[in-house]
């Protein structure tokens, strides 16, 4: 029994016997002190250098007796606490030969500098390849086929984890300097955060993360993403974060080259260079190291290129428990260069495994049994295993037959990987229902159980702080600063006060999206002079708006109310407008929501998919083109939505309107003074003036939405729909009833639609959307009640082109009779211009679009397009052509900015 475990039992006995009531924070503090000081009172420290004397940053250090891994800091310095007596410590860095030392601690601190020499790689005959292909492919096929086993090899572990991360803000563009300074971030400064954590893992994927303590100099530092950082597995073929070089899909995306091997103890380790066949943000480039004959990962040194820069990942694994290899040190480097910013960030982790339990119910593949026996010369191992092996299932017989082959083809490798995945998942009893594990059920997080000021960070920190990091902690670490011979910044607190005042003033002037008042209340505000405060169109003229956003969660976490009031004044027609939106999320599990909205405000005839107000304002002021057409909506409506059963939603809406006709009220523009704005109530193909007249309306709408076999998760008391292999079906019926509250509008609309998004390998997407509608009655309608299509007459928009007609004029093709529309889009990283050599490294996607529209007065219109998306992550550019009755009619170039709205 460990000292920590015996101490826990002793404390529990004292509490039961003497009725001692101990605060939780004191309990954790006592454990922390015992863990880091009772046993390990002597420090082994030094500097790790290369043979030419250069310090090696982030080298990996592993203490065998403690099953603890850590790293050196940016300056190559390391510091570890060891128990009295002999410990076996290994030092290694990628591309350097591993050094092992037997250290005898005699009661005093010890300084031991380490020199690592360059790793010499040998080339040997490898039997796992066929034909003339590179030997790396045989090694990779074996690793891929066994990855499902390695992913589930551990049943339980408990680990103490120290995490340290931060960034150097080397350059800030002048445009952002003031704003970031108000947030507490300045050019030339370094920022750092460190935390002590306890991670408990239970197979297949449940974690308890206990954050014992954390301190940080990073402004507005949020939650530690420690679990995502530590628990991403390169063996996981289903991860959405990236495509691993040993994923089941890897051979379609990577090229491999064998670069030799080196011996480390009783194992040989193969070095393999990994190169993406095409550039993509979900792929890696660099090196992986695979243990020969066992085919598990030894370490990785990979780079992932994102739009903002490069992310380098280093991970070293050790044989922690029996035959199980686990990561003992992690390191991330980020080199960000974007829009004038230059930031260098790093994130390191030290792991000490207290308890590791293997999954003994998991069948060990025969090839691994043989390899274990060969490596360790344990022939009895096989004999004992054979005595206890139960009869094989049919699936296991297929697995064993493939494992006996020395040379696996790509097809056999894929089959073996799928069979092992099926075998291992069957043991976990996963996939019997549509509910997937949520973060709530997989992760339980307990934060800051010990005060940041209650522990001596200098004693428990396994990765020493660099000088920059010490300076970053400033006055909080004044003693450490003094010992390091650095000046103490006594003005730090004053700077923070000024920064807080400036931030408050900025929120008042420019607005704030979300300001958390407490755990149940959030507040938002658009600002006195924020971008959303001012507007302009030819009807309202200049307008000024003030909007507030109040969100309140109830104690049971299943209910929430949102209240969003808006006041807006139109100077052009001297009219005060208002809008009040309230939403009650009554039950997050059954997805029940009630909405009550009321207001007197100007609205676009095409309220759902019309032109963005900002784009219309820019085109009006700069070009005197007023694309948006408006009416005055004096309304109140109620709406409810509920889930009848999983995948089937019902929404009902009742709305009363008193509609007023609006005219242009200003001729103002920055240019083109001799040009007139287009009339507000005149649209080509819609000459009936009655549809633009004011009237009262009362309508009822019902909509059913059904997605078969819809997977979901419940997280934070909220049900979130995830994905389905089936399309979504929608049935809508809307009826305008005359005579109710003096309403004069009379119409009935029936619409049926189906849509789906298909995805392959995280890179290839196919979307389709087909809908058809028929107005059963259209005897008395306002133009806002027509079916309006998602058109883009203006060349620049904020729209998603997946369901869009990019060449049709706004409002011109709206109908109140019948219609059929269809949209199809396909997205891929490489199609046409990305095959040009100097464009292959761009992280863009190429897209093909097809849209069709047929309605009573405009039949068989087809539109095709080609576009480039994800330019700087937000911009899309495309060229489109339109065909009427299969004859070419129009073309155009479009630009879209996707702001995620």
């Amino acid at each position: 029994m460990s000292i920590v475990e015996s101490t826990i039992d002793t404390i529990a006995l004292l509490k039961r016997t003497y009725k001692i009531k101990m605060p939780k924070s004191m309990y954790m503090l006592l454990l922390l002190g015992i863990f880091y000081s009772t046993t390990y009172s002597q420090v082994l420290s030094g500097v790790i250098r290369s043979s030419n004397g250069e310090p090696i940053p982030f080298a990996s250090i592993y203490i065998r007796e403690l099953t603890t891994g850590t790293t050196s800091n940016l300056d190559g310095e390391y510091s570890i606490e060891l128990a009295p007596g002999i410990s076996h410590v290994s030092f290694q860095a990628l591309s350097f030969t591993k050094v092992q030392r037997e250290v005898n601690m005699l009661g005093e601190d010890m300084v031991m500098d380490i020199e690592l020499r360059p790793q010499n790689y040998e080339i040997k005959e490898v039997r796992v390849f066929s034909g003339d292909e590179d030997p790396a492919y045989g090694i990779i096929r074996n690793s891929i086929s066994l990855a499902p086993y390695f992913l589930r090899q551990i049943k339980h572990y408990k680990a103490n984890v120290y995490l340290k991360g931060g960034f150097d803000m080397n350059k800030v563009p002048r445009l952002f300097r003031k704003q970031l300074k108000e947030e507490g971030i300045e050019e030339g400064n370094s920022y750092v955060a460190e935390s002590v954590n306890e991670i408990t893992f239970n197979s297949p994927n449940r974690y308890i993360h206990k954050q014992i303590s954390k301190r940080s100099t990073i402004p507005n530092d949020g939650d530690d993403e420690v679990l995502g950082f530590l628990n991403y597995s390169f063996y996981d073929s289903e991860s959405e974060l990236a495509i691993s070089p040993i994923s089941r899909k890897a051979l379609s995306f990577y090229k491999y080259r064998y670069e030799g091997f080196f011996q480390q103890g009783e194992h040989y380790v193969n070095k393999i260079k990994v190169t993406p066949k095409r550039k993509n943000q979900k792929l890696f480039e660099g090196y992986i190291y695979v243990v020969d004959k066992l085919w598990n990962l030894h370490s990785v040194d990979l780079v992932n290129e994102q739009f903002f820069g490069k992310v380098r990942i280093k991970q070293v694994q050790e044989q922690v428990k029996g035959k199980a290899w686990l990561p003992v040190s992690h390191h991330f480097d980020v080199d960000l260069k974007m829009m004038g910013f230059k930031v260098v960030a790093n994130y390191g982790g030290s792991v000490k495994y207290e308890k590791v339990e293997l999954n003994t119910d998991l069948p060990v593949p025969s090839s691994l049994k043989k390899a274990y026996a060969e490596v360790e010369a344990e022939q009895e191992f096989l004999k004992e295993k054979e005595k206890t092996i139960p009869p094989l299932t049919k699936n296991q017989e297929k697995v064993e037959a493939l494992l006996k082959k020395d040379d696996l083809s790509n097809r056999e490798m894929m089959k073996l990987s799928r069979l092992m995945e099926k075998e291992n998942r069957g043991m976990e009893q996963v996939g019997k229902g549509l509910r997937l594990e949520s973060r709530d059920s997989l992760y339980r997080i307990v934060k800051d159980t010990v005060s940041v000021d209650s522990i001596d960070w200098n004693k428990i920190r396994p990765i020493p702080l660099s000088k920059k990091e010490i300076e970053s902690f400033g006055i909080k670490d004044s003693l450490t600063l003094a010992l390091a011979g650095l000046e103490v910044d006594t003005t730090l607190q004053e700077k923070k006060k000024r920064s807080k005042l400036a931030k408050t003033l900025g929120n008042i002037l420019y607005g704030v999206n979300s300001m958390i008042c407490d755990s149940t209340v959030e507040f938002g505000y658009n600002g006195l002079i924020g971008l959303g405060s001012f507007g302009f169109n030819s009807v309202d003229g200049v307008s000024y708006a003030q909007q507030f956003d109040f969100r309140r969660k109830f104690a049971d976490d299943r209910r929430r109310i949102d209240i969003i009031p808006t006041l807006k004044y139109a100077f052009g027609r001297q009219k005060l407008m208002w809008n009040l939106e309230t939403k009650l999320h009554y039950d997050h599990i059954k997805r029940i929501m009630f909405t009550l909205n009321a207001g007197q405000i100007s609205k676009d005839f095409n309220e759902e998919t019309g032109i963005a107000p900002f784009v219309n304002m820019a085109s009006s002021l700069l070009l005197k083109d007023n694309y948006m057409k408006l009416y005055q909506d004096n309304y109140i409506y109620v709406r409810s939505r509920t889930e009848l059963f999983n995948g089937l939603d019902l929404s009902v809406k009742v709305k009363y309107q008193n509609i007023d006709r609006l005219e242009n009220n200003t001729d103002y523009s920055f240019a083109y003074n001799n040009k007139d704005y287009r009339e507000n109530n005149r649209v080509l193909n819609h000459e009936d003036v009655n549809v633009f007249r004011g009237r009262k309306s009362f309508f009822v709408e019902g909509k059913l939405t059904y997605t078969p076999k819809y997977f979901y998760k419940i997280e934070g008391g909220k049900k979130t729909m995830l994905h389905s292999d089936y399309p979504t079906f929608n049935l809508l019926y809307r009826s305008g009833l005359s005579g109710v509250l003096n309403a004069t509008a009379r119409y009935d609309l029936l619409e049926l639609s189906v849509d789906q998004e298909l995805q392959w390998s995280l890179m290839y997407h196919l979307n389709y959307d087909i809908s058809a509608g028929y107005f059963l009655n259209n005897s008395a309608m306002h133009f806002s009640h027509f079916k309006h299509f998602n058109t883009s007459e203006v060349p620049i928009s904020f729209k998603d082109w997946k369901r869009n007609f990019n060449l049709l004029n706004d409002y011109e093709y709206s109908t109140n009779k019948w219609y059929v529309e269809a949209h199809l889009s396909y997205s891929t990283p490489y199609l046409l211009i990305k095959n040009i050599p100097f464009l292959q490294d761009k992280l863009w996607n190429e897209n093909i679009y097809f849209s069709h529209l047929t309605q009573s007065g405009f039949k068989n219109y087809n539109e095709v397009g080609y576009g480039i998306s994800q330019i700087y992550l937000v911009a899309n550019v495309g060229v489109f052509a339109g065909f009427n009755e299969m004859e070419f009619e129009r073309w155009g170039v479009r630009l879209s900015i996707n702001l995620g709205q």
Side-chain angles (χ1 to χ4, degrees), residues 12-199:
L13 179 62
L14 288 171
K15 291 170 70 176
R16 289 195 305 269
T17 305
Y18 299 105
K19 309 300 182 184
I20 296 174
K21 293 184 178 180
M22 184 178 295
K24 187 176 181 181
S25 60
M26 183 63 70
Y27 176 76
M28 292 302 303
L29 185 60
L30 179 59
L31 287 183
L32 188 68
I34 290 169
F35 180 76
Y36 283 105
S37 62
T38 302
T39 306
Y40 315 124
S41 57
Q42 303 142 93
V43 176
L44 175 68
S45 61
V47 180
I48 303 174
R49 294 187 174 92
S50 63
S51 54
N52 60 8
E54 294 293 326
I56 301 176
F58 313 117
S60 176
I61 303 115
Y62 182 70
I63 305 98
R64 188 173 68 191
E65 287 76 12
L66 305 181
T67 61
T68 299
T70 184
T71 68
S72 61
N73 66 11
L74 186 65
D75 302 320
E77 301 166 340
Y78 75 95
S79 177
I80 50 179
E81 295 196 3
L82 298 176
I86 295 177
S87 296
H88 295 84
V89 186
S90 61
F91 304 85
Q92 62 180 316
L94 298 177
S95 301
F96 290 91
T97 302
K98 184 176 183 178
V99 170
Q100 295 180 315
R101 292 284 188 268
E102 183 177 276
V103 181
N104 188 8
M105 303 300 291
L106 301 175
E108 295 181 354
D109 294 348
M110 181 185 298
V111 176
M112 183 171 67
D113 293 340
I114 300 296
E115 179 183 314
L116 298 183
R117 297 182 178 179
Q119 179 74 64
N120 293 319
Y121 295 94
E122 302 177 47
I123 301 294
K124 68 173 182 177
E125 181 182 356
V126 182
R127 296 179 300 165
V128 292
F129 65 94
S130 60
D132 296 326
E133 75 172 3
D134 193 288
Y137 285 87
I139 297 170
I140 290 297
R141 278 193 288 268
N142 280 280
S143 291
I144 292 174
S145 63
L146 291 172
Y149 171 78
F150 293 131
L151 183 64
R152 296 167 175 81
Q153 193 177 16
I154 303 299
K155 182 177 182 180
H156 167 84
Y157 72 72
K158 185 177 182 181
N160 291 283
V161 181
Y162 169 81
L163 290 172
K164 184 178 69 174
F167 60 92
D168 298 333
M169 184 60 72
N170 294 329
K171 187 176 181 180
V172 177
R174 187 178 299 275
L175 179 63
F176 299 97
R177 286 179 188 172
K178 183 177 179 181
Q179 180 181 352
L180 286 179
K181 190 173 182 179
E182 292 173 354
E183 298 288 334
I185 298 176
E186 296 186 52
E187 183 178 304
N189 287 354
S190 297
Y191 303 88
V192 65
E194 60 181 346
S195 63
V196 180
N197 310 271
E198 183 183 88
I199 306 293

Side-chain angles (χ1 to χ4, degrees), residues 31 35 118 193 251 294 301 306 319 331 367 384 424 469 483 496 545 591 687 757 776 816 818 830 858:
L31 287 183
F35 180 76
L251 290 173
L294 302 184
D301 184 5
Q306 295 289 325
Q319 223 171 330
H331 190 79
S367 62
E384 291 299 320
N424 296 329
E469 290 167 340
L483 292 173
K496 288 187 176 181
R591 304 174 71 220
E687 304 299 333
E757 178 178 355
L776 305 173
N816 65 346
W818 60 269
Y830 292 90
F858 188 63

Side-chain angles (χ1 to χ4, degrees), residues 480-729:
T480 307
L481 280 168
L483 292 173
L486 302 172
E487 294 183 4
V488 178
D489 186 0
T490 58
T491 65
L492 184 62
Q493 297 300 326
E494 186 62 32
K495 288 180 179 178
K496 288 187 176 181
K497 289 180 182 179
R498 291 199 300 266
S499 176
K500 187 175 181 179
L501 178 62
K503 182 179 178 181
T504 302
L505 182 61
N507 289 342
I508 295 173
L509 291 176
Y510 306 111
V512 57
N513 289 330
S514 179
M515 185 167 62
I516 300 175
C517 303
D518 58 40
S519 60
T520 62
V521 177
E522 290 185 45
F523 176 78
Y525 173 50
N526 71 334
L528 291 173
I529 55 173
L531 289 178
S533 301
F534 296 93
F536 178 85
N537 59 61
S538 60
V539 173
D540 294 329
V542 176
S543 62
Y544 178 73
Q546 289 288 274
Q547 184 180 87
F548 301 87
D549 188 347
F550 174 83
R551 295 180 290 276
R552 168 70 186 272
K553 295 180 182 178
F554 293 92
D556 57 8
D557 271 344
R558 298 187 68 172
R559 293 177 296 158
R560 190 188 83 200
I561 187 168
D562 301 346
I563 302 175
I564 307 175
T566 302
L567 284 174
K568 186 175 183 180
Y569 188 78
F571 290 92
R573 56 191 184 104
Q574 299 181 355
K575 176 72 173 179
L576 178 65
M577 298 180 289
W578 62 276
N579 184 71
L580 178 63
E581 179 180 356
T582 58
K583 291 182 181 178
L584 174 62
H585 301 264
Y586 184 75
D587 189 328
H588 288 301
I589 304 299
K590 296 181 179 179
R591 304 174 71 220
I592 300 175
M593 184 179 72
F594 299 100
T595 302
L596 172 62
N597 279 16
Q600 294 179 307
I601 199 163
S602 58
K603 286 185 178 179
D604 188 344
F605 286 120
N606 184 0
E607 185 178 356
E608 291 185 4
T609 60
I611 184 173
F614 178 82
V615 174
N616 182 71
M617 177 177 66
S619 64
S620 298
L621 291 174
L622 300 177
L623 303 174
K624 211 166 187 179
D625 283 327
N626 55 324
Y627 292 98
M628 183 185 291
K629 299 185 180 296
L630 302 124
Y631 69 100
Q632 174 82 13
D633 195 9
N634 309 293
Y635 71 96
I636 182 171
Y637 77 78
V638 293
R639 179 176 179 265
S640 69
R641 186 198 69 191
T642 187
E643 183 182 72
L644 301 179
F645 58 82
N646 186 65
L648 179 63
D649 290 350
L650 170 66
S651 67
V652 177
K653 180 179 179 180
V654 179
K655 183 175 182 179
Y656 175 77
Q657 299 172 278
N658 187 359
I659 299 172
D660 293 327
R661 176 187 173 108
L662 295 178
E663 304 290 348
N664 290 337
N665 287 285
T666 181
D667 198 46
Y668 180 77
S669 176
F670 294 160
Y672 302 98
N673 293 327
N674 296 326
K675 180 179 177 181
D676 293 328
Y677 282 121
R678 287 179 282 186
E679 293 183 30
N680 184 60
N681 295 288
R682 187 172 182 179
V683 177
L684 189 62
N685 296 335
H686 298 284
E687 304 299 333
D688 185 0
V689 294
N690 290 320
V691 299
F692 297 101
R693 288 176 178 170
R695 69 181 66 225
K696 293 179 180 179
S697 168
F698 180 90
F699 74 78
V700 178
E701 176 186 287
K703 184 176 181 180
L704 282 171
T705 300
Y706 177 57
T707 306
K709 295 186 177 181
Y710 210 160
F711 287 90
Y712 66 93
K713 66 179 180 180
I714 296 177
E715 184 173 13
K718 180 180 179 181
K719 183 176 182 180
T720 302
M721 310 310 294
L722 296 176
H723 61 81
S724 172
D725 294 330
Y726 296 86
T728 297
F729 301 92

